[in-house]
Amino acid sequence: MEYEFLRATAEGLVPRTVAIDDAVRERTSPQVVILGASLDGRAWRMPELAGAAVFEVDHPRSQEDKRQRAAGLSSPAGKVAFVPVDFTADRLDDSLKAAGHRADLPTTWIWEGVVPYLTRAEVAATVRDLAGASAPGSRLVVNYQSPSPAASLGRLLARAMRRLSRRPDPMAHEPWRSAWTPAAMRELLTGQGFAVVGDTDLLSLAGALALPVRSRRSLGSGRVLVADRRAG
């Protein structure tokens, strides 16, 4: 069961990573903020970030592990700043400002693998913070989950099977707290001054890359949205 869970997770990582990388390359910014950075390696593997200031935002405990792993690695980015933030308790805009982020310069925001673990209120509050720190020309790239009864049922069945078999649940401490329809996510972002320029499910992205797919339902509910900050 652990193997199948990891296999399905990895299957979704490939198309979403490619889609996000492409969106970052398409519109480069002097600042890049990675929300919930975890072990994201873009600051170390993307030459397109040369000269950009990269701000890695994550929970303090996760970030300490990242800092140890990244020690001694060279980065093409002009600057890499680690910004410890607990999304459920801290103000993102205050933490970024203290780390040197400038709200008067365009920013590319990467929000990958985080939204499902936040409540709808926490997601909305974060979007407001991003909007307040986004100069015209900024770009937001967000990965989120759309509602899927089949996927929800599958997670419940997998959890029950793990309990019956007395196997550990790798997601026990990371429950999904929110899912968004494309229309609801668009409404949230446009209400904060962003214009959605693309919103595609992972299944379509995998098909465009000619990737083999086994978890069609899982990929069908995962999405990557790109939105740009309007002027004025």
Side-chain angles (χ1 to χ4, degrees):
M1 285 186 289
E2 287 88 348
Y3 173 83
E4 286 301 318
F5 172 80
L6 291 172
R7 183 199 57 74
T9 300
E11 193 171 75
L13 285 173
V14 176
R16 90 181 192 195
T17 298
V18 172
I20 293 171
D21 285 0
D22 286 347
V24 173
R25 293 187 183 100
E26 185 180 62
R27 175 178 288 191
T28 57
S29 300
Q31 301 177 123
V32 177
V33 177
I34 305 175
L35 305 168
S38 187
L39 297 180
D40 188 291
R42 291 182 173 91
W44 289 269
R45 67 173 176 78
M46 291 188 69
E48 293 85 359
L49 300 184
V54 178
F55 299 86
E56 295 229 340
V57 179
D58 206 355
H59 191 281
R61 288 198 300 271
S62 299
Q63 199 164 79
E64 180 57 33
D65 177 57
K66 172 72 165 287
R67 292 171 73 102
Q68 293 176 10
R69 291 170 182 261
L73 296 179
S74 59
S75 169
K79 165 189 174 183
V80 179
F82 292 95
V83 186
V85 172
D86 181 346
F87 282 99
T88 65
D90 300 328
R91 283 292 303 268
L92 175 62
D93 50 354
D94 291 341
S95 299
L96 281 172
K97 184 177 180 180
H101 178 265
R102 292 180 54 181
D104 61 326
L105 295 178
T107 299
T108 294
W109 305 91
I110 301 173
W111 202 5
E112 180 182 12
V114 178
V115 170
Y117 307 109
L118 302 177
T119 66
R120 293 179 74 87
E122 289 165 350
V123 173
T126 302
V127 170
R128 287 194 297 270
D129 284 346
L130 300 188
S134 293
S138 294
R139 166 162 285 192
L140 169 60
V141 189
V142 55
N143 159 236
Y144 69 99
Q145 295 294 131
S146 60
S148 170
S152 297
L153 178 60
R155 287 193 296 273
L156 289 173
L157 290 174
R159 188 174 300 129
M161 291 176 64
R162 281 190 289 266
R163 287 178 178 173
L164 289 172
S165 63
R166 303 192 180 205
R167 302 290 295 175
D169 184 351
M171 301 301 291
H173 302 293
E174 295 185 331
W176 281 19
R177 294 187 171 94
S178 70
W180 299 75
T181 64
M185 182 58 74
R186 178 183 293 267
E187 180 180 3
L188 174 65
L189 296 179
T190 55
Q192 295 297 327
F194 288 97
V196 175
V197 297
D199 187 358
T200 311
D201 64 82
L202 300 185
L203 183 60
S204 298
L205 292 170
L209 295 169
L211 297 173
V213 173
R214 290 177 58 186
S215 305
R216 298 184 65 84
R217 290 178 178 174
S218 177
L219 267 66
S221 62
R223 306 187 69 87
V224 173
L225 178 150
V226 181
D228 294 333
R229 181 67 169 171
R230 298 190 299 257

